[in-house]
Amino acid sequence: VTLSVTNAAGTTTKTVNGRVIVSPIGTALSVPFSEGFEGGAFPANDWYKINANGGYDWDVNSLAASQGLYSINLYNFSGGEKGPDEFILPAFNLSNVSGTTMTFDLAYARQNTTTTNADKLVVSYSTNCGNTWTPRYNKAGSLLETTGGVVSGDFFPTAGDFRMETINLSLAAISGQPNVRFRFEFTYDTGNNIYIDNINLTGTVGVDELNAENANVNVYPNPSLSTTYMDFTMTRPGQVQFDVQDAEGRIIHTFSDQLPAGDH
């Protein structure tokens, strides 16, 4: 991204690399979903992070975990910068999901007991590729801490220092939507390190009847002794499954895939 500013004194130009992120089409994830960062790499697979202050940012670590060996953390003990520091999950297709719920394991400690401590974690959602974000979880200061007290030294949690957080995502603005992203945003204010592990999305997955009723399925020739062709139309992105049966109704083959809207 390049910005040029011109006035009577001349022109100044600034270029920032990697500021525009183009996500692949047709790869929205579905539920159930689980990520414990056990691959030891972050970000990957259409996750991305934004470091507004240029200091420490979210990164994978093997210092602490609620389960397994890895979590992601933001190192703040030596004096972080205000931020915010963000990481954003890949897109989810929730078009045929109801009662969506997110859980994640959190470990965080304050360095002092000051009531003005305003370290804050906000989890938001977007249905327009991040053009706008709406918060669904917001905790700060003592409500955010999981240790039950101040940790004045460098905070490296044990598994017992993690607390599972639950976010209700069942409202119609999220559940039932075909393209939803979630953002974790931390703002530092004199606190200690923060760790997140074991992010899960669950919900009730139903048949997308709108897609099924308007699919215009055409199978030919039918019956067939060799090659069979199928044409159909997706009115919106969704999970598709076809069961191929023999003359006696036994399933001999199953096709399943996440497909974009359009003719197939």
Side-chain angles (χ1 to χ4, degrees):
V1 179
T2 299
L3 172 67
S4 296
V5 179
T6 302
N7 62 14
T11 299
T12 297
T13 299
K14 181 177 182 179
T15 298
V16 179
N17 294 316
R19 192 63 178 120
V20 173
I21 300 170
V22 180
S23 296
I25 191 171
T27 58
L29 299 175
S30 57
V31 299
F33 167 84
S34 181
E35 178 58 68
F37 308 103
E38 290 305 296
F42 178 79
N45 298 327
D46 202 30
W47 294 63
Y48 61 96
K49 56 186 178 180
I50 298 174
N51 181 8
N53 54 43
Y56 291 109
D57 64 355
W58 290 100
D59 204 359
V60 69
N61 76 94
S62 59
L63 302 174
S66 64
Q67 299 178 18
L69 300 176
Y70 294 93
S71 65
I72 56 174
N73 80 313
L74 191 59
Y75 183 77
N76 295 315
F77 174 71
S78 61
E81 299 183 35
K82 285 290 183 180
D85 289 287
E86 310 167 21
F87 69 86
I88 300 173
L89 280 67
F92 287 86
N93 182 2
L94 304 178
S95 58
N96 64 335
V97 180
S98 61
T100 310
T101 300
M102 175 187 287
T103 62
F104 64 93
D105 295 335
L106 167 73
Y108 164 78
R110 292 187 295 164
Q111 286 197 56
N112 53 66
T113 57
T114 174
T115 57
T116 61
N117 177 286
D119 281 30
K120 180 172 65 176
L121 178 66
V122 179
V123 181
S124 307
Y125 73 91
S126 174
T127 57
N128 54 17
C129 293
N131 186 44
T132 57
W133 294 94
T134 303
R136 285 298 294 168
Y137 167 101
N138 187 331
K139 285 189 178 181
S142 60
L143 294 178
L144 187 64
E145 72 175 32
T146 64
T147 59
V150 167
V151 177
S152 58
D154 211 338
F155 177 50
F156 298 107
T158 65
D161 290 322
F162 282 84
R163 179 181 70 217
M164 187 176 75
E165 304 287 85
T166 301
I167 308 175
N168 183 350
L169 305 174
S170 63
L171 67 165
I174 304 173
S175 292
Q177 299 303 313
N179 193 318
V180 186
R181 281 189 181 264
F182 299 99
R183 178 182 71 182
F184 284 67
E185 179 184 51
F186 183 79
T187 303
Y188 169 80
D189 181 45
T190 71
N192 213 315
N193 308 326
I194 182 171
Y195 299 76
I196 289 177
D197 199 4
N198 198 29
I199 299 174
N200 290 275
L201 260 75
T202 59
T204 301
V205 180
V207 175
D208 191 338
E209 296 181 358
L210 180 63
N211 254 334
E213 291 174 358
N214 296 278
N216 298 318
V217 177
N218 185 24
V219 181
Y220 55 93
N222 185 20
S224 173
L225 297 178
S226 58
T227 302
T228 300
Y229 298 89
M230 176 182 290
D231 300 334
F232 60 96
T233 301
M234 296 284 289
T235 59
R236 61 191 185 204
Q239 183 73 24
V240 176
Q241 178 172 314
F242 295 108
D243 294 329
V244 182
Q245 300 177 347
D246 64 14
E248 297 182 1
R250 293 173 298 194
I251 296 177
I252 60 174
H253 181 73
T254 295
F255 168 84
S256 179
D257 199 3
Q258 183 76 31
L259 296 178
D263 295 330
H264 299 274

PDB file of all heavy atoms in Angstrom, residues 204-240:
ATOM      1  N   THR A 204     -24.900 -26.742  16.197  1.00  0.00           N
ATOM      2  CA  THR A 204     -25.774 -27.755  15.625  1.00  0.00           C
ATOM      3  C   THR A 204     -25.825 -27.560  14.125  1.00  0.00           C
ATOM      4  O   THR A 204     -26.277 -26.513  13.635  1.00  0.00           O
ATOM      5  CB  THR A 204     -27.184 -27.661  16.213  1.00  0.00           C
ATOM      6  OG1 THR A 204     -27.111 -27.823  17.632  1.00  0.00           O
ATOM      7  CG2 THR A 204     -28.086 -28.732  15.624  1.00  0.00           C
ATOM      8  N   VAL A 205     -25.348 -28.564  13.381  1.00  0.00           N
ATOM      9  CA  VAL A 205     -25.288 -28.476  11.928  1.00  0.00           C
ATOM     10  C   VAL A 205     -26.534 -29.121  11.355  1.00  0.00           C
ATOM     11  O   VAL A 205     -26.835 -30.281  11.619  1.00  0.00           O
ATOM     12  CB  VAL A 205     -24.029 -29.175  11.382  1.00  0.00           C
ATOM     13  CG1 VAL A 205     -23.975 -29.070   9.859  1.00  0.00           C
ATOM     14  CG2 VAL A 205     -22.781 -28.567  12.006  1.00  0.00           C
ATOM     15  N   GLY A 206     -27.276 -28.357  10.557  1.00  0.00           N
ATOM     16  CA  GLY A 206     -28.501 -28.860   9.947  1.00  0.00           C
ATOM     17  C   GLY A 206     -28.401 -28.887   8.440  1.00  0.00           C
ATOM     18  O   GLY A 206     -27.472 -28.359   7.841  1.00  0.00           O
ATOM     19  N   VAL A 207     -29.366 -29.509   7.811  1.00  0.00           N
ATOM     20  CA  VAL A 207     -29.419 -29.554   6.357  1.00  0.00           C
ATOM     21  C   VAL A 207     -29.811 -28.178   5.833  1.00  0.00           C
ATOM     22  O   VAL A 207     -30.751 -27.558   6.328  1.00  0.00           O
ATOM     23  CB  VAL A 207     -30.426 -30.609   5.883  1.00  0.00           C
ATOM     24  CG1 VAL A 207     -30.579 -30.574   4.368  1.00  0.00           C
ATOM     25  CG2 VAL A 207     -29.978 -31.989   6.341  1.00  0.00           C
ATOM     26  N   ASP A 208     -29.099 -27.698   4.831  1.00  0.00           N
ATOM     27  CA  ASP A 208     -29.403 -26.408   4.227  1.00  0.00           C
ATOM     28  C   ASP A 208     -30.544 -26.599   3.233  1.00  0.00           C
ATOM     29  O   ASP A 208     -30.334 -26.872   2.059  1.00  0.00           O
ATOM     30  CB  ASP A 208     -28.147 -25.867   3.524  1.00  0.00           C
ATOM     31  CG  ASP A 208     -28.308 -24.417   3.109  1.00  0.00           C
ATOM     32  OD1 ASP A 208     -29.459 -23.973   2.967  1.00  0.00           O
ATOM     33  OD2 ASP A 208     -27.295 -23.746   2.904  1.00  0.00           O
ATOM     34  N   GLU A 209     -31.785 -26.471   3.715  1.00  0.00           N
ATOM     35  CA  GLU A 209     -32.934 -26.789   2.882  1.00  0.00           C
ATOM     36  C   GLU A 209     -33.094 -25.811   1.722  1.00  0.00           C
ATOM     37  O   GLU A 209     -33.563 -26.179   0.643  1.00  0.00           O
ATOM     38  CB  GLU A 209     -34.191 -26.815   3.743  1.00  0.00           C
ATOM     39  CG  GLU A 209     -34.175 -27.925   4.801  1.00  0.00           C
ATOM     40  CD  GLU A 209     -35.448 -27.954   5.624  1.00  0.00           C
ATOM     41  OE1 GLU A 209     -36.311 -27.075   5.384  1.00  0.00           O
ATOM     42  OE2 GLU A 209     -35.561 -28.835   6.475  1.00  0.00           O
ATOM     43  N   LEU A 210     -32.713 -24.546   1.938  1.00  0.00           N
ATOM     44  CA  LEU A 210     -32.814 -23.579   0.858  1.00  0.00           C
ATOM     45  C   LEU A 210     -31.940 -23.994  -0.321  1.00  0.00           C
ATOM     46  O   LEU A 210     -32.351 -23.920  -1.478  1.00  0.00           O
ATOM     47  CB  LEU A 210     -32.420 -22.189   1.351  1.00  0.00           C
ATOM     48  CG  LEU A 210     -32.485 -21.069   0.308  1.00  0.00           C
ATOM     49  CD1 LEU A 210     -33.925 -20.895  -0.173  1.00  0.00           C
ATOM     50  CD2 LEU A 210     -31.982 -19.761   0.902  1.00  0.00           C
ATOM     51  N   ASN A 211     -30.712 -24.443  -0.020  1.00  0.00           N
ATOM     52  CA  ASN A 211     -29.835 -24.938  -1.078  1.00  0.00           C
ATOM     53  C   ASN A 211     -30.431 -26.177  -1.739  1.00  0.00           C
ATOM     54  O   ASN A 211     -30.450 -26.310  -2.958  1.00  0.00           O
ATOM     55  CB  ASN A 211     -28.462 -25.268  -0.507  1.00  0.00           C
ATOM     56  CG  ASN A 211     -27.411 -24.243  -0.905  1.00  0.00           C
ATOM     57  OD1 ASN A 211     -27.522 -23.584  -1.918  1.00  0.00           O
ATOM     58  ND2 ASN A 211     -26.373 -24.119  -0.085  1.00  0.00           N
ATOM     59  N   ALA A 212     -30.930 -27.120  -0.924  1.00  0.00           N
ATOM     60  CA  ALA A 212     -31.406 -28.393  -1.453  1.00  0.00           C
ATOM     61  C   ALA A 212     -32.619 -28.208  -2.359  1.00  0.00           C
ATOM     62  O   ALA A 212     -32.729 -28.826  -3.424  1.00  0.00           O
ATOM     63  CB  ALA A 212     -31.745 -29.341  -0.306  1.00  0.00           C
ATOM     64  N   GLU A 213     -33.548 -27.341  -1.948  1.00  0.00           N
ATOM     65  CA  GLU A 213     -34.770 -27.161  -2.711  1.00  0.00           C
ATOM     66  C   GLU A 213     -34.528 -26.474  -4.052  1.00  0.00           C
ATOM     67  O   GLU A 213     -35.300 -26.639  -4.997  1.00  0.00           O
ATOM     68  CB  GLU A 213     -35.772 -26.345  -1.891  1.00  0.00           C
ATOM     69  CG  GLU A 213     -36.314 -27.087  -0.673  1.00  0.00           C
ATOM     70  CD  GLU A 213     -37.194 -26.196   0.182  1.00  0.00           C
ATOM     71  OE1 GLU A 213     -37.341 -25.008  -0.163  1.00  0.00           O
ATOM     72  OE2 GLU A 213     -37.712 -26.698   1.195  1.00  0.00           O
ATOM     73  N   ASN A 214     -33.481 -25.675  -4.146  1.00  0.00           N
ATOM     74  CA  ASN A 214     -33.221 -24.896  -5.353  1.00  0.00           C
ATOM     75  C   ASN A 214     -31.962 -25.350  -6.087  1.00  0.00           C
ATOM     76  O   ASN A 214     -31.394 -24.598  -6.872  1.00  0.00           O
ATOM     77  CB  ASN A 214     -33.092 -23.409  -4.991  1.00  0.00           C
ATOM     78  CG  ASN A 214     -34.376 -22.833  -4.428  1.00  0.00           C
ATOM     79  OD1 ASN A 214     -35.262 -22.462  -5.163  1.00  0.00           O
ATOM     80  ND2 ASN A 214     -34.448 -22.771  -3.101  1.00  0.00           N
ATOM     81  N   ALA A 215     -31.555 -26.591  -5.834  1.00  0.00           N
ATOM     82  CA  ALA A 215     -30.293 -27.066  -6.406  1.00  0.00           C
ATOM     83  C   ALA A 215     -30.413 -27.441  -7.876  1.00  0.00           C
ATOM     84  O   ALA A 215     -29.402 -27.532  -8.575  1.00  0.00           O
ATOM     85  CB  ALA A 215     -29.776 -28.257  -5.606  1.00  0.00           C
ATOM     86  N   ASN A 216     -31.641 -27.706  -8.364  1.00  0.00           N
ATOM     87  CA  ASN A 216     -31.842 -28.094  -9.759  1.00  0.00           C
ATOM     88  C   ASN A 216     -30.949 -29.277 -10.128  1.00  0.00           C
ATOM     89  O   ASN A 216     -30.213 -29.249 -11.120  1.00  0.00           O
ATOM     90  CB  ASN A 216     -31.577 -26.918 -10.707  1.00  0.00           C
ATOM     91  CG  ASN A 216     -32.529 -25.754 -10.464  1.00  0.00           C
ATOM     92  OD1 ASN A 216     -33.723 -25.964 -10.248  1.00  0.00           O
ATOM     93  ND2 ASN A 216     -32.006 -24.538 -10.508  1.00  0.00           N
ATOM     94  N   VAL A 217     -31.015 -30.329  -9.332  1.00  0.00           N
ATOM     95  CA  VAL A 217     -30.152 -31.488  -9.542  1.00  0.00           C
ATOM     96  C   VAL A 217     -30.600 -32.253 -10.791  1.00  0.00           C
ATOM     97  O   VAL A 217     -31.783 -32.543 -10.979  1.00  0.00           O
ATOM     98  CB  VAL A 217     -30.181 -32.417  -8.314  1.00  0.00           C
ATOM     99  CG1 VAL A 217     -29.336 -33.667  -8.570  1.00  0.00           C
ATOM    100  CG2 VAL A 217     -29.681 -31.671  -7.086  1.00  0.00           C
ATOM    101  N   ASN A 218     -29.630 -32.571 -11.640  1.00  0.00           N
ATOM    102  CA  ASN A 218     -29.885 -33.350 -12.853  1.00  0.00           C
ATOM    103  C   ASN A 218     -28.852 -34.459 -12.938  1.00  0.00           C
ATOM    104  O   ASN A 218     -27.653 -34.185 -13.010  1.00  0.00           O
ATOM    105  CB  ASN A 218     -29.815 -32.449 -14.080  1.00  0.00           C
ATOM    106  CG  ASN A 218     -30.186 -33.182 -15.352  1.00  0.00           C
ATOM    107  OD1 ASN A 218     -30.900 -34.186 -15.317  1.00  0.00           O
ATOM    108  ND2 ASN A 218     -29.695 -32.686 -16.479  1.00  0.00           N
ATOM    109  N   VAL A 219     -29.291 -35.720 -12.885  1.00  0.00           N
ATOM    110  CA  VAL A 219     -28.403 -36.876 -12.936  1.00  0.00           C
ATOM    111  C   VAL A 219     -28.672 -37.637 -14.233  1.00  0.00           C
ATOM    112  O   VAL A 219     -29.820 -37.990 -14.518  1.00  0.00           O
ATOM    113  CB  VAL A 219     -28.632 -37.808 -11.730  1.00  0.00           C
ATOM    114  CG1 VAL A 219     -27.676 -39.004 -11.788  1.00  0.00           C
ATOM    115  CG2 VAL A 219     -28.451 -37.049 -10.422  1.00  0.00           C
ATOM    116  N   TYR A 220     -27.606 -37.913 -15.008  1.00  0.00           N
ATOM    117  CA  TYR A 220     -27.820 -38.574 -16.293  1.00  0.00           C
ATOM    118  C   TYR A 220     -26.558 -39.338 -16.705  1.00  0.00           C
ATOM    119  O   TYR A 220     -25.447 -38.878 -16.415  1.00  0.00           O
ATOM    120  CB  TYR A 220     -28.196 -37.537 -17.358  1.00  0.00           C
ATOM    121  CG  TYR A 220     -27.195 -36.397 -17.507  1.00  0.00           C
ATOM    122  CD1 TYR A 220     -26.154 -36.447 -18.446  1.00  0.00           C
ATOM    123  CD2 TYR A 220     -27.267 -35.280 -16.663  1.00  0.00           C
ATOM    124  CE1 TYR A 220     -25.243 -35.418 -18.557  1.00  0.00           C
ATOM    125  CE2 TYR A 220     -26.356 -34.254 -16.766  1.00  0.00           C
ATOM    126  CZ  TYR A 220     -25.342 -34.316 -17.722  1.00  0.00           C
ATOM    127  OH  TYR A 220     -24.434 -33.289 -17.826  1.00  0.00           O
ATOM    128  N   PRO A 221     -26.706 -40.514 -17.364  1.00  0.00           N
ATOM    129  CA  PRO A 221     -27.956 -41.291 -17.429  1.00  0.00           C
ATOM    130  C   PRO A 221     -28.257 -41.934 -16.074  1.00  0.00           C
ATOM    131  O   PRO A 221     -27.368 -42.164 -15.290  1.00  0.00           O
ATOM    132  CB  PRO A 221     -27.630 -42.348 -18.479  1.00  0.00           C
ATOM    133  CG  PRO A 221     -26.146 -42.530 -18.361  1.00  0.00           C
ATOM    134  CD  PRO A 221     -25.586 -41.175 -18.039  1.00  0.00           C
ATOM    135  N   ASN A 222     -29.495 -42.215 -15.826  1.00  0.00           N
ATOM    136  CA  ASN A 222     -29.924 -42.788 -14.558  1.00  0.00           C
ATOM    137  C   ASN A 222     -31.103 -43.720 -14.803  1.00  0.00           C
ATOM    138  O   ASN A 222     -32.163 -43.263 -15.214  1.00  0.00           O
ATOM    139  CB  ASN A 222     -30.328 -41.676 -13.594  1.00  0.00           C
ATOM    140  CG  ASN A 222     -30.675 -42.200 -12.227  1.00  0.00           C
ATOM    141  OD1 ASN A 222     -30.285 -43.296 -11.851  1.00  0.00           O
ATOM    142  ND2 ASN A 222     -31.426 -41.408 -11.466  1.00  0.00           N
ATOM    143  N   PRO A 223     -30.960 -45.040 -14.620  1.00  0.00           N
ATOM    144  CA  PRO A 223     -29.771 -45.724 -14.065  1.00  0.00           C
ATOM    145  C   PRO A 223     -28.620 -45.767 -15.061  1.00  0.00           C
ATOM    146  O   PRO A 223     -28.783 -45.456 -16.228  1.00  0.00           O
ATOM    147  CB  PRO A 223     -30.298 -47.128 -13.752  1.00  0.00           C
ATOM    148  CG  PRO A 223     -31.392 -47.337 -14.747  1.00  0.00           C
ATOM    149  CD  PRO A 223     -32.059 -45.993 -14.909  1.00  0.00           C
ATOM    150  N   SER A 224     -27.443 -46.163 -14.553  1.00  0.00           N
ATOM    151  CA  SER A 224     -26.242 -46.196 -15.375  1.00  0.00           C
ATOM    152  C   SER A 224     -25.428 -47.430 -15.043  1.00  0.00           C
ATOM    153  O   SER A 224     -25.399 -47.882 -13.896  1.00  0.00           O
ATOM    154  CB  SER A 224     -25.408 -44.946 -15.129  1.00  0.00           C
ATOM    155  OG  SER A 224     -24.168 -45.040 -15.792  1.00  0.00           O
ATOM    156  N   LEU A 225     -24.742 -47.945 -16.062  1.00  0.00           N
ATOM    157  CA  LEU A 225     -23.844 -49.077 -15.871  1.00  0.00           C
ATOM    158  C   LEU A 225     -22.383 -48.643 -15.859  1.00  0.00           C
ATOM    159  O   LEU A 225     -21.503 -49.465 -15.616  1.00  0.00           O
ATOM    160  CB  LEU A 225     -24.069 -50.121 -16.980  1.00  0.00           C
ATOM    161  CG  LEU A 225     -25.461 -50.760 -17.020  1.00  0.00           C
ATOM    162  CD1 LEU A 225     -25.563 -51.722 -18.195  1.00  0.00           C
ATOM    163  CD2 LEU A 225     -25.748 -51.497 -15.718  1.00  0.00           C
ATOM    164  N   SER A 226     -22.131 -47.357 -16.142  1.00  0.00           N
ATOM    165  CA  SER A 226     -20.733 -46.885 -16.161  1.00  0.00           C
ATOM    166  C   SER A 226     -20.684 -45.450 -15.649  1.00  0.00           C
ATOM    167  O   SER A 226     -21.011 -45.203 -14.494  1.00  0.00           O
ATOM    168  CB  SER A 226     -20.156 -47.000 -17.573  1.00  0.00           C
ATOM    169  OG  SER A 226     -20.947 -46.252 -18.492  1.00  0.00           O
ATOM    170  N   THR A 227     -20.312 -44.510 -16.498  1.00  0.00           N
ATOM    171  CA  THR A 227     -20.154 -43.120 -16.072  1.00  0.00           C
ATOM    172  C   THR A 227     -21.501 -42.437 -15.902  1.00  0.00           C
ATOM    173  O   THR A 227     -22.393 -42.575 -16.740  1.00  0.00           O
ATOM    174  CB  THR A 227     -19.315 -42.340 -17.105  1.00  0.00           C
ATOM    175  OG1 THR A 227     -18.048 -42.977 -17.247  1.00  0.00           O
ATOM    176  CG2 THR A 227     -19.105 -40.902 -16.649  1.00  0.00           C
ATOM    177  N   THR A 228     -21.645 -41.697 -14.790  1.00  0.00           N
ATOM    178  CA  THR A 228     -22.851 -40.920 -14.527  1.00  0.00           C
ATOM    179  C   THR A 228     -22.449 -39.470 -14.289  1.00  0.00           C
ATOM    180  O   THR A 228     -21.444 -39.190 -13.636  1.00  0.00           O
ATOM    181  CB  THR A 228     -23.593 -41.451 -13.285  1.00  0.00           C
ATOM    182  OG1 THR A 228     -23.955 -42.814 -13.505  1.00  0.00           O
ATOM    183  CG2 THR A 228     -24.839 -40.638 -13.003  1.00  0.00           C
ATOM    184  N   TYR A 229     -23.244 -38.545 -14.823  1.00  0.00           N
ATOM    185  CA  TYR A 229     -22.978 -37.117 -14.672  1.00  0.00           C
ATOM    186  C   TYR A 229     -24.032 -36.489 -13.768  1.00  0.00           C
ATOM    187  O   TYR A 229     -25.193 -36.916 -13.759  1.00  0.00           O
ATOM    188  CB  TYR A 229     -22.999 -36.422 -16.033  1.00  0.00           C
ATOM    189  CG  TYR A 229     -21.941 -36.933 -16.982  1.00  0.00           C
ATOM    190  CD1 TYR A 229     -22.195 -38.006 -17.834  1.00  0.00           C
ATOM    191  CD2 TYR A 229     -20.674 -36.355 -17.016  1.00  0.00           C
ATOM    192  CE1 TYR A 229     -21.224 -38.484 -18.694  1.00  0.00           C
ATOM    193  CE2 TYR A 229     -19.690 -36.822 -17.873  1.00  0.00           C
ATOM    194  CZ  TYR A 229     -19.981 -37.895 -18.706  1.00  0.00           C
ATOM    195  OH  TYR A 229     -19.006 -38.369 -19.550  1.00  0.00           O
ATOM    196  N   MET A 230     -23.622 -35.472 -13.030  1.00  0.00           N
ATOM    197  CA  MET A 230     -24.545 -34.761 -12.157  1.00  0.00           C
ATOM    198  C   MET A 230     -24.312 -33.263 -12.317  1.00  0.00           C
ATOM    199  O   MET A 230     -23.174 -32.789 -12.233  1.00  0.00           O
ATOM    200  CB  MET A 230     -24.350 -35.162 -10.690  1.00  0.00           C
ATOM    201  CG  MET A 230     -25.220 -34.367  -9.721  1.00  0.00           C
ATOM    202  SD  MET A 230     -24.949 -34.815  -8.001  1.00  0.00           S
ATOM    203  CE  MET A 230     -25.677 -36.442  -7.997  1.00  0.00           C
ATOM    204  N   ASP A 231     -25.386 -32.524 -12.550  1.00  0.00           N
ATOM    205  CA  ASP A 231     -25.348 -31.064 -12.567  1.00  0.00           C
ATOM    206  C   ASP A 231     -26.186 -30.549 -11.407  1.00  0.00           C
ATOM    207  O   ASP A 231     -27.260 -31.089 -11.124  1.00  0.00           O
ATOM    208  CB  ASP A 231     -25.933 -30.510 -13.874  1.00  0.00           C
ATOM    209  CG  ASP A 231     -25.185 -30.982 -15.104  1.00  0.00           C
ATOM    210  OD1 ASP A 231     -23.990 -31.291 -14.964  1.00  0.00           O
ATOM    211  OD2 ASP A 231     -25.798 -31.042 -16.191  1.00  0.00           O
ATOM    212  N   PHE A 232     -25.710 -29.495 -10.739  1.00  0.00           N
ATOM    213  CA  PHE A 232     -26.514 -28.888  -9.680  1.00  0.00           C
ATOM    214  C   PHE A 232     -26.046 -27.462  -9.456  1.00  0.00           C
ATOM    215  O   PHE A 232     -24.954 -27.069  -9.889  1.00  0.00           O
ATOM    216  CB  PHE A 232     -26.440 -29.693  -8.372  1.00  0.00           C
ATOM    217  CG  PHE A 232     -25.051 -29.826  -7.800  1.00  0.00           C
ATOM    218  CD1 PHE A 232     -24.604 -28.954  -6.820  1.00  0.00           C
ATOM    219  CD2 PHE A 232     -24.205 -30.833  -8.235  1.00  0.00           C
ATOM    220  CE1 PHE A 232     -23.339 -29.080  -6.277  1.00  0.00           C
ATOM    221  CE2 PHE A 232     -22.933 -30.975  -7.700  1.00  0.00           C
ATOM    222  CZ  PHE A 232     -22.498 -30.095  -6.722  1.00  0.00           C
ATOM    223  N   THR A 233     -26.872 -26.702  -8.776  1.00  0.00           N
ATOM    224  CA  THR A 233     -26.588 -25.293  -8.514  1.00  0.00           C
ATOM    225  C   THR A 233     -26.609 -25.033  -7.015  1.00  0.00           C
ATOM    226  O   THR A 233     -27.523 -25.481  -6.316  1.00  0.00           O
ATOM    227  CB  THR A 233     -27.632 -24.392  -9.195  1.00  0.00           C
ATOM    228  OG1 THR A 233     -27.615 -24.629 -10.598  1.00  0.00           O
ATOM    229  CG2 THR A 233     -27.342 -22.915  -8.929  1.00  0.00           C
ATOM    230  N   MET A 234     -25.597 -24.314  -6.526  1.00  0.00           N
ATOM    231  CA  MET A 234     -25.549 -23.897  -5.122  1.00  0.00           C
ATOM    232  C   MET A 234     -26.015 -22.452  -5.039  1.00  0.00           C
ATOM    233  O   MET A 234     -25.419 -21.560  -5.645  1.00  0.00           O
ATOM    234  CB  MET A 234     -24.130 -24.026  -4.575  1.00  0.00           C
ATOM    235  CG  MET A 234     -23.599 -25.454  -4.539  1.00  0.00           C
ATOM    236  SD  MET A 234     -24.309 -26.393  -3.190  1.00  0.00           S
ATOM    237  CE  MET A 234     -23.470 -25.604  -1.810  1.00  0.00           C
ATOM    238  N   THR A 235     -27.092 -22.196  -4.275  1.00  0.00           N
ATOM    239  CA  THR A 235     -27.568 -20.829  -4.118  1.00  0.00           C
ATOM    240  C   THR A 235     -26.691 -20.021  -3.171  1.00  0.00           C
ATOM    241  O   THR A 235     -26.703 -18.798  -3.187  1.00  0.00           O
ATOM    242  CB  THR A 235     -29.017 -20.822  -3.595  1.00  0.00           C
ATOM    243  OG1 THR A 235     -29.065 -21.500  -2.343  1.00  0.00           O
ATOM    244  CG2 THR A 235     -29.943 -21.511  -4.596  1.00  0.00           C
ATOM    245  N   ARG A 236     -25.920 -20.718  -2.325  1.00  0.00           N
ATOM    246  CA  ARG A 236     -24.953 -20.062  -1.445  1.00  0.00           C
ATOM    247  C   ARG A 236     -23.930 -21.101  -1.024  1.00  0.00           C
ATOM    248  O   ARG A 236     -24.153 -22.308  -1.211  1.00  0.00           O
ATOM    249  CB  ARG A 236     -25.643 -19.464  -0.224  1.00  0.00           C
ATOM    250  CG  ARG A 236     -26.369 -20.461   0.662  1.00  0.00           C
ATOM    251  CD  ARG A 236     -27.232 -19.752   1.682  1.00  0.00           C
ATOM    252  NE  ARG A 236     -27.846 -20.659   2.630  1.00  0.00           N
ATOM    253  CZ  ARG A 236     -28.955 -20.384   3.290  1.00  0.00           C
ATOM    254  NH1 ARG A 236     -29.553 -19.212   3.103  1.00  0.00           N
ATOM    255  NH2 ARG A 236     -29.465 -21.243   4.156  1.00  0.00           N
ATOM    256  N   PRO A 237     -22.787 -20.700  -0.491  1.00  0.00           N
ATOM    257  CA  PRO A 237     -21.770 -21.682  -0.095  1.00  0.00           C
ATOM    258  C   PRO A 237     -22.310 -22.642   0.953  1.00  0.00           C
ATOM    259  O   PRO A 237     -23.174 -22.295   1.761  1.00  0.00           O
ATOM    260  CB  PRO A 237     -20.640 -20.815   0.479  1.00  0.00           C
ATOM    261  CG  PRO A 237     -20.869 -19.464  -0.070  1.00  0.00           C
ATOM    262  CD  PRO A 237     -22.348 -19.309  -0.242  1.00  0.00           C
ATOM    263  N   GLY A 238     -21.808 -23.880   0.961  1.00  0.00           N
ATOM    264  CA  GLY A 238     -22.262 -24.835   1.958  1.00  0.00           C
ATOM    265  C   GLY A 238     -21.594 -26.180   1.816  1.00  0.00           C
ATOM    266  O   GLY A 238     -20.863 -26.443   0.857  1.00  0.00           O
ATOM    267  N   GLN A 239     -21.836 -27.028   2.810  1.00  0.00           N
ATOM    268  CA  GLN A 239     -21.321 -28.391   2.801  1.00  0.00           C
ATOM    269  C   GLN A 239     -22.274 -29.269   1.990  1.00  0.00           C
ATOM    270  O   GLN A 239     -23.485 -29.250   2.200  1.00  0.00           O
ATOM    271  CB  GLN A 239     -21.206 -28.927   4.226  1.00  0.00           C
ATOM    272  CG  GLN A 239     -20.612 -30.320   4.333  1.00  0.00           C
ATOM    273  CD  GLN A 239     -19.119 -30.323   4.070  1.00  0.00           C
ATOM    274  OE1 GLN A 239     -18.458 -29.308   4.249  1.00  0.00           O
ATOM    275  NE2 GLN A 239     -18.580 -31.447   3.642  1.00  0.00           N
ATOM    276  N   VAL A 240     -21.723 -30.021   1.039  1.00  0.00           N
ATOM    277  CA  VAL A 240     -22.520 -30.850   0.139  1.00  0.00           C
ATOM    278  C   VAL A 240     -22.134 -32.306   0.331  1.00  0.00           C
ATOM    279  O   VAL A 240     -20.950 -32.636   0.431  1.00  0.00           O
ATOM    280  CB  VAL A 240     -22.295 -30.445  -1.330  1.00  0.00           C
ATOM    281  CG1 VAL A 240     -23.056 -31.372  -2.273  1.00  0.00           C
ATOM    282  CG2 VAL A 240     -22.732 -29.011  -1.551  1.00  0.00           C
TER     283      VAL A 240
END
